[in-house]
Amino acid sequence: MEPAIAERDSFTVVGVVARGDASSLDFAAIWTERFMAYYALLMPRSSDKACYGVSFATERAGIIDYVAGMAVDDVPDLPEGLVVREVLAARYAVFRCTVNTIGETYERIFKEWLPSAQCQHDPSAPAFEFYPPGTVGGESPVQIHIPLR
């Protein structure tokens, strides 16, 4: 499990937000029941036609704000239910997996790879999933970005 290391520029993500413990959030429902209601509105404004699942730290330990959304260059007038968040430029370890193996991959990253890695996780920057255009689930590819310091 060796990741690629990549520098990412900052980007703005617009989407729906859910707050909770990562182990108790229903990520599938966030995407299918909440985000998809805004997909047609966001797609024409998307800078890369990809989707992002971004985990922002909150003031409470162990609680995240998970934003399911799309990167945009210009923030549109937003209907109620959407949020705007900035993902600052950072250095990331990038892990490849599939939609079906996201949870398992995160577990391996934090339990196996990070404890023995030559670098450290940077909790001040958000981790995120990058879903390339055309991702529909199952065996579709995903890239998990873990911020480093």
Side-chain angles (χ1 to χ4, degrees):
M1 168 175 254
E2 273 309 306
I5 304 298
E7 301 287 334
R8 286 289 309 245
D9 291 334
S10 64
F11 63 95
T12 302
V13 65
V14 174
V16 297
V17 64
R19 180 171 280 199
D21 179 312
S23 64
S24 65
L25 287 173
D26 185 348
F27 295 100
I30 295 166
W31 284 101
T32 60
E33 296 172 16
R34 297 188 51 217
F35 172 76
M36 289 310 291
Y38 299 100
Y39 181 79
L41 171 73
L42 294 175
M43 178 54 90
R45 295 172 169 97
S46 172
S47 58
D48 60 7
K49 308 301 184 216
C51 291
Y52 293 81
V54 189
S55 299
F56 293 92
T58 67
E59 65 283 349
R60 293 183 49 209
I63 303 298
I64 62 167
D65 278 350
Y66 182 80
V67 177
M70 299 185 91
V72 298
D73 291 327
D74 296 311
V75 177
D77 290 334
L78 298 177
E80 191 169 326
L82 290 177
V83 298
V84 178
R85 295 285 179 92
E86 188 72 20
V87 178
L88 299 178
R91 185 170 158 242
Y92 290 92
V94 182
F95 298 85
R96 296 182 184 279
C97 64
T98 65
V99 170
N100 285 341
T101 60
I102 291 172
E104 169 189 322
T105 303
Y106 269 115
E107 188 170 322
R108 289 185 63 210
I109 290 167
F110 285 97
K111 289 185 177 177
E112 296 174 21
W113 184 77
L114 270 172
S116 63
Q118 299 296 319
C119 46
Q120 294 181 338
H121 173 237
D122 182 357
S124 69
F128 66 89
E129 297 115 32
F130 170 79
Y131 299 89
T135 299
V136 293
E139 294 304 312
S140 294
V142 176
Q143 296 174 9
I144 296 174
H145 290 68
I146 303 297
L148 303 173
R149 61 174 148 185

